[in-house]
Amino acid sequence: MSTRIRQSLELDEILAATALELRNFLRTDRIKVYRFHPDGHGEVVAEARTGERLPSLMGLHFPEEDIPAFIRERYLKSHTRTIVNVASGMITLNSPPVGVMVGRQWLQERPSDDLFQHEVDPCHIEYLTNMGIMSSLVVPVLHHQELWGLLISHHSETRLISREDLYIVQNLADQVSLAIAQASLLDQARKLAQREAFINRIVSLLHAPRGSDDLIDTALTWTIEVLHGNGGRLFLYPLDWKSAPRLYAQGQQPVQLEVGLLEELPLWREAMALPSSPMPLCAADYPTMQVVTDLYANSEWQALTPYFQETPIRGFLVLPLCFGQEMLGCLTVFRGPTDTETFWAGYHNPDERQAFPRRSFTQWQHFRRNQAQPWTEEEVTLLKALGGHLSMAVMQNRLYQCEREQRLLLEMRNQALTSARVAAEEASRLKSDFLASTSHELRTPLASTLNYLKLLKEGFYDNEAELKEFIDGAYQSTVNLVSIINDVLDIAKIEAGHLVLNLESVDLPALLEEQNTLFTPESRRYGVSLTIDCAIKHVWADQTKLRQVLTNLLANAFKFTDHGQVQVQAVLSDSMAEISISDTGIGIEMSDPNVLFEPFVQASGSTERHYGGTGLGLTICKFLVERMGGQIWLYSLGKNQGTTVTFTLPLTQPNQE
């Protein structure tokens, strides 16, 4: 029999073979294997019958009271085996002394070692009689020092059980205990394999070449499913501890807080034994996993219930995620309640004989609603193992982000250094060009002045007209020299921040008429007409600096115009005075007109330039116009198509409009 029942490692097959072999051996009407559940109620999990003399009880449940606790305790402590003979009203326990008769009360008060033959309780006799049983044999089946179940033989007639029969049945029960242990090991191995398979699946997912948010959401969903939860969330601290934390949530969630997240509440941190600050952890600070079966069953969690009362969440697991001394966040899995409904033996069985056992039950249905579901040891172990891999994945992702940020920062710094080097080289080139051109421009009027003065000193003139010509030439050369020096000094003041403006209301028509008078000789000399059209009476500016701007721009216009005209126009535009100086001169290419406003920039840095100048005029104009509250820009249709320089100025003091 032992060989046959152990041909399989599957528990259901083992128990079925046990019932069948025992029935063949004892030749009784019904052999059943009765298994106890954790809540104390029993279930017939295997059965073998001879004919239809007794009804089938396979799959039927029996309430906890069907086999009282003190009887189950004696089965466990004394390995009690009971043989009931209904006809004689006697029960034999183990190997009792002959001739000793005891009652039930005496039995309950006696130590288990003193059990032997005594009278059967009348209720028990009535119960067995109603079920059509005249002979009953019960042998306990133990597993890991716990009462796993019972091996029971029922016969509808009186059946004597010999010592040899009892010895063989006990040996068979011991073999069943071993088989249960092996089946339990097989079940544990299968669960371990399933756990490893799930972890490998998660690890493969976490290392998949996809976006981190997608893979974390998927991993969280799988974790909730495998743990039979109804929701979950992954809370991750930010990488730099200054940014907002990251939350991934799936399924049922607690009440949304107006400010912050649940994991940031001091109440939650204290209840979950999480660190109050993100400082590096020491060994004593390492948080542990919190296992909460029923949030409402323990006063320790009462302060958190307001966040869950409107949800079906009943229990949760909170796993802190740490790597080394760094606290990464926590993984939480929620679980809701469950309802169970058990129908006791034969509730749906039409066999009239099932009515007899049901008479001993006060109720046929057992409802258990809104029951908290405890977390099994396997589930806790699985989440711990998963947490280690998840922590490693989060840490790897953080290291990748750090490396990426450092790489981008290095690239930005290299680009900045390259730009700074190019700018420095360009500034050096502009400075060199500026020094070269300025030296040339300074030498030219200075040499001219010296030449005129030498001619005057040595009297090399033939008449008064020639004398006046030499004096005018020396004067004009000196004026040019002073102009160049003033430009250089102005730009030096601008760069040093020492330029002071005296803003006031300026009579623009009068100032433009002054410029007309000033440039009339230039107009006549080059044959370039000058027209002024002013529709503005006053502007808010520094009169001296505005005069300098107009002079610079008109001087440029006449310098670069061989024929045609120079036109000055002042109009109102968007509550600002818009003043334009247009010419019909050489024009410029518009690829980058703003560069002409940069210091030391000229269209040509050559000392052999046809038009001369230091290249500081537009730079000074731009600075002065912007300091007076306006803007300046340049436009040209292209080479030999003229140029227009336009600038704006406020009409009145800006804060007094």
Side-chain angles (χ1 to χ4, degrees):
M1 287 191 290
S2 299
T3 302
R4 291 178 181 175
I5 66 174
R6 299 184 63 178
Q7 286 179 345
S8 173
L9 291 178
E10 300 295 337
L11 183 59
D12 292 341
E13 296 178 1
I14 292 172
L15 298 179
T18 300
L20 180 61
E21 293 300 323
L22 185 58
R23 182 186 61 79
N24 293 336
F25 171 69
L26 293 177
R27 299 188 181 280
T28 54
D29 294 332
R30 181 172 60 202
I31 301 294
K32 65 179 182 179
V33 179
Y34 186 96
R35 180 175 184 175
F36 291 105
H37 287 277
D39 61 356
H41 91 272
E43 178 185 4
V44 178
V45 294
E47 183 185 64
R49 292 187 299 150
T50 301
E52 296 294 332
R53 300 175 65 179
L54 291 177
S56 173
L57 301 178
M58 180 65 185
L60 300 184
H61 293 259
F62 294 82
E64 181 181 0
E65 297 78 13
D66 191 51
I67 301 179
F70 79 94
I71 296 296
R72 282 182 272 139
E73 186 177 355
R74 291 196 183 280
Y75 280 133
L76 175 62
K77 290 185 176 179
S78 304
H79 296 192
T80 303
R81 296 158 292 180
T82 62
I83 304 171
V84 178
N85 188 329
V86 176
S88 63
M90 299 298 293
I91 181 170
T92 304
L93 308 178
N94 292 346
S95 299
V98 178
V100 177
M101 305 293 289
V102 295
R104 179 176 182 181
Q105 182 176 359
W106 183 92
L107 175 64
Q108 295 179 3
E109 294 174 352
R110 296 291 296 173
S112 59
D113 293 340
D114 293 340
L115 299 181
F116 43 88
Q117 190 176 52
H118 62 90
E119 294 178 347
V120 183
D121 189 292
C123 293
H124 195 181
I125 291 292
E126 181 182 2
Y127 178 79
L128 293 176
T129 302
N130 290 338
M131 294 182 68
I133 299 171
M134 296 301 292
S135 172
S136 170
L137 168 63
V138 179
V139 177
V141 178
L142 307 181
H143 175 56
H144 288 171
Q145 304 303 318
E146 298 290 339
L147 181 62
W148 181 89
L150 302 172
L151 195 57
I152 302 174
S153 168
H154 286 162
H155 198 60
S156 57
E157 298 176 356
T158 299
R159 170 71 161 85
L160 297 178
I161 304 297
S162 65
R163 290 177 180 272
E164 290 74 15
D165 292 341
L166 186 61
Y167 175 77
I168 292 176
V169 173
Q170 180 60 60
N171 281 340
L172 190 61
D174 294 340
Q175 293 297 323
V176 172
S177 296
L178 292 175
I180 291 172
Q182 293 176 346
S184 178
L185 290 176
L186 176 62
D187 182 63
Q188 292 178 9
R190 286 174 173 169
K191 290 180 178 178
L192 180 61
Q194 292 175 353
R195 186 181 70 190
E196 294 300 325
F198 174 74
I199 291 176
N200 290 335
R201 186 182 175 197
I202 290 289
V203 171
S204 300
L205 175 68
L206 295 178
H207 290 84
R210 297 169 55 187
S212 59
D213 290 345
D214 292 340
L215 67 88
I216 290 179
D217 282 334
T218 305
L220 180 59
T221 301
W222 289 358
T223 302
I224 296 171
E225 291 176 356
V226 79
L227 293 176
H228 307 292
N230 62 350
R233 50 203 280 144
L234 174 62
F235 172 84
L236 296 177
Y237 289 112
L239 180 61
D240 55 3
W241 299 107
K242 297 178 181 178
S243 306
R246 190 66 184 271
L247 177 68
Y248 300 86
Q250 297 289 336
Q252 295 289 341
Q253 297 296 316
V255 174
Q256 181 72 32
L257 304 181
E258 294 182 359
V259 178
L261 301 172
L262 178 68
E263 289 79 358
E264 297 178 297
L265 287 176
L267 195 62
W268 175 270
R269 291 176 181 272
E270 183 179 356
M272 297 302 126
L274 296 174
S276 58
S277 66
M279 299 299 292
L281 301 171
C282 61
D285 295 334
Y286 261 74
T288 57
M289 183 176 183
Q290 298 295 318
V291 182
V292 180
T293 299
D294 190 351
L295 176 65
Y296 304 95
N298 193 328
S299 58
E300 184 181 356
W301 313 108
Q302 290 303 308
L304 296 175
T305 55
Y307 304 103
F308 295 91
Q309 284 178 339
E310 298 180 3
T311 74
I313 297 172
R314 191 67 177 268
F316 44 77
L317 295 176
V318 181
L319 176 66
L321 300 178
C322 306
F323 192 90
Q325 294 183 328
E326 188 167 353
M327 182 73 185
L328 305 176
C330 60
L331 172 63
T332 304
V333 177
F334 301 118
R335 176 177 278 180
T338 185
D339 298 333
T340 60
E341 183 176 10
T342 304
F343 293 92
W344 298 136
Y347 180 70
H348 291 296
N349 195 325
D351 192 331
E352 295 180 355
R353 292 173 295 180
Q354 299 292 0
F356 298 122
R358 291 201 296 266
R359 291 173 184 172
S360 62
F361 307 149
T362 55
Q363 59 182 12
W364 295 357
Q365 289 178 288
H366 190 189
F367 292 97
R368 291 185 177 181
R369 300 189 184 279
N370 200 28
Q371 296 295 307
Q373 303 182 69
W375 300 95
T376 66
E377 184 178 350
E378 289 79 8
E379 290 170 338
V380 173
T381 303
L382 173 60
L383 191 61
K384 286 182 178 178
L386 180 61
H389 291 282
L390 187 57
S391 297
M392 187 177 299
V394 171
M395 198 63 195
Q396 287 177 344
N397 182 263
R398 290 191 171 188
L399 292 176
Y400 170 75
Q401 290 183 6
C402 286
E403 186 274 335
R404 183 173 179 272
E405 290 178 359
Q406 292 295 329
R407 180 160 42 83
L408 292 176
L409 181 61
L410 181 60
E411 292 177 358
M412 292 174 62
R413 287 178 177 174
N414 289 337
Q415 291 178 356
L417 289 174
T418 301
S419 299
R421 179 177 56 79
V422 172
E425 292 175 352
E426 180 65 12
S428 178
R429 185 188 68 78
L430 293 175
K431 285 282 187 181
S432 298
D433 290 349
F434 167 73
L435 290 176
S437 61
T438 301
S439 298
H440 175 75
E441 294 299 330
L442 288 173
R443 286 194 187 98
T444 300
L446 183 59
S448 178
T449 301
L450 289 175
N451 288 333
Y452 280 122
L453 291 176
K454 184 177 180 180
L455 291 174
L456 293 173
K457 178 182 178 183
E458 296 178 358
F460 289 155
Y461 50 86
D462 296 333
N463 48 45
E464 288 294 329
E466 194 171 32
L467 172 63
K468 186 177 183 302
E469 180 184 352
F470 289 170
I471 293 174
D472 289 343
Y475 174 77
Q476 187 59 46
S477 296
T478 303
V479 169
N480 292 339
L481 181 61
V482 170
S483 177
I484 295 171
I485 292 174
N486 285 337
D487 282 351
V488 173
L489 293 177
D490 283 345
I491 202 69
K493 285 183 180 179
I494 291 172
E495 291 187 341
H498 294 162
L499 188 65
V500 178
L501 299 179
N502 181 23
L503 299 176
E504 58 183 346
S505 181
V506 177
D507 187 343
L508 185 60
L511 189 60
L512 292 178
E513 184 58 31
E514 179 186 314
Q515 293 294 312
N516 185 30
T517 303
L518 181 63
F519 281 92
T520 296
E522 297 287 329
S523 175
R524 292 176 180 173
R525 183 186 308 166
Y526 297 115
V528 176
S529 62
L530 172 61
T531 59
I532 296 177
D533 182 11
C534 181
I536 305 296
K537 291 184 177 179
H538 294 88
V539 294
W540 185 259
D542 183 312
Q543 182 166 334
T544 302
K545 302 306 177 186
L546 177 56
R547 181 184 293 111
Q548 183 179 356
V549 171
L550 291 170
T551 303
N552 278 340
L553 296 180
L554 284 171
N556 280 343
F558 279 102
K559 183 167 62 177
F560 298 115
T561 304
D562 295 332
H563 61 278
Q565 64 176 356
V566 173
Q567 182 180 13
V568 179
Q569 187 177 29
V571 297
L572 181 64
S573 176
D574 297 332
S575 301
M576 296 284 285
E578 185 175 282
I579 305 169
S580 300
I581 294 88
S582 303
D583 63 59
T584 56
I586 61 175
I588 62 173
E589 294 292 343
M590 289 298 293
S591 59
D592 191 6
N594 291 328
V595 74
L596 296 177
F597 290 99
E598 296 296 328
F600 315 125
V601 174
Q602 295 174 286
S604 172
S606 172
T607 57
E608 298 177 352
R609 289 170 294 120
H610 176 67
Y611 298 102
T614 61
L616 295 174
L618 287 178
T619 302
I620 295 171
C621 290
K622 182 176 186 295
F623 178 82
L624 293 177
V625 167
E626 291 179 349
R627 285 293 305 273
M628 290 188 290
Q631 294 182 335
I632 187 170
W633 63 91
L634 182 148
Y635 179 73
S636 175
L637 293 175
K639 284 189 175 180
N640 300 320
Q641 298 188 62
T643 304
T644 298
V645 179
T646 304
F647 66 94
T648 60
L649 289 173
L651 298 176
T652 59
Q653 189 172 1
N655 58 358
Q656 293 184 356
E657 288 182 346

